[in-house]
Amino acid sequence: MEYNRAEVRRAVLKACDALLFHSPLNPRNTVEKTVLRKLLNELVWRYTEAHEFRGKYRGCAWWSVEALGLYDTPKSDWRKGVALEHVIGRKELIDALLKASSIDEVSAVLERGETCVLLREQHKHLPKGQGWERYANLRIVPGPLVREHQRRSGLPSSTNRTSEERVATILLPNSVAHPIKDGDGLTPSPAKSH
């Protein structure tokens, strides 16, 4: 079976739709709440791994310079030295999913689930908080498959930039989320009253 990023993401949205809006589990029931959070955790992982360059590590768009240096070392077992970090923590993403009132909100929350590969030692010393500001003391650059794509396409490569510049300059094909259309099998957003 051929991997299709858009199909994986659509499947995750449909699963969230079913869990959150069709016969939702009762968050006041401890067992149901635990099961729901574990399922949403898995769906967040699936969604964040379904990115342009497929692959939990190599395909991740953002790496610290030091982690990338470990990857580029000949014959290194680089996976033992790196950690995949959710820029916005999975707990916060799950909390936001539980508060979502429409599938459009679910989609927006999942789109915030960006990841970054760091050395394990860097991961241990990240400051508390959320978002790219936690990485202010690290140089974050495009990952291996992004660099390969940029090289083959003749695109300029990004250097250490602010999160807004990163988002604007990553230059990945199809990186914009596809809007949810009627007939996708997802619960429509509530009609807005004027």
Side-chain angles (χ1 to χ4, degrees):
M1 179 176 112
E2 186 176 314
Y3 177 83
N4 184 313
R5 168 187 177 268
E7 285 182 31
V8 170
R9 287 188 164 200
R10 180 83 54 212
V12 169
L13 282 172
K14 286 179 93 168
C16 285
D17 185 43
L19 284 170
L20 296 170
F21 305 119
H22 298 284
S23 301
L25 297 173
N26 180 356
R28 284 184 229 118
N29 177 308
T30 307
V31 173
E32 289 186 17
K33 178 181 177 181
T34 301
V35 168
L36 178 59
R37 290 189 74 86
K38 287 185 182 282
L39 291 169
L40 290 173
N41 182 55
E42 183 65 25
L43 291 170
V44 166
W45 268 112
R46 292 301 131 237
Y47 197 88
T48 55
E49 288 178 1
H51 45 70
E52 209 58 44
F53 294 103
R54 189 176 180 207
K56 187 172 180 178
Y57 293 97
R58 288 185 67 231
C60 183
W62 303 112
W63 286 54
S64 73
V65 168
E66 295 79 5
L68 195 56
L70 184 62
Y71 173 81
D72 288 336
T73 304
K75 298 183 181 180
S76 80
D77 191 2
W78 58 271
R79 283 194 183 178
K80 289 182 180 178
V82 299
L84 185 72
E85 166 78 10
H86 279 83
V87 177
I88 307 264
R90 289 189 321 273
K91 180 189 180 307
E92 286 71 24
L93 292 171
I94 291 166
D95 289 344
L97 288 172
L98 291 169
K99 292 175 185 168
S101 61
S102 73
I103 197 64
D104 289 331
E105 288 181 29
V106 168
S107 180
V109 168
L110 290 171
E111 280 300 313
R112 292 175 42 217
E114 198 166 13
T115 58
C116 183
V117 176
L118 309 173
L119 292 178
R120 288 190 184 278
E121 195 59 31
Q122 291 172 320
H123 176 72
K124 287 181 197 174
H125 298 291
L126 276 179
K128 299 285 183 209
Q130 293 297 314
W132 283 109
E133 54 279 351
R134 294 174 56 214
Y135 305 86
N137 294 326
L138 299 174
R139 233 176 111 218
I140 304 297
V141 297
L145 297 184
V146 174
R147 291 184 320 156
E148 178 64 25
H149 167 75
Q150 289 172 331
R151 196 178 85 249
R152 276 193 258 135
S153 303
L155 299 170
S157 58
S158 301
T159 57
N160 194 27
R161 298 181 179 191
T162 66
S163 59
E164 292 81 18
E165 290 171 322
R166 268 196 287 279
V167 170
T169 61
I170 189 166
L171 303 170
L172 300 178
N174 305 318
S175 62
V176 177
H178 301 288
I180 297 165
K181 299 179 183 111
D182 290 338
D184 281 341
L186 300 171
T187 303
S189 295
K192 294 180 181 173
S193 57
H194 297 291

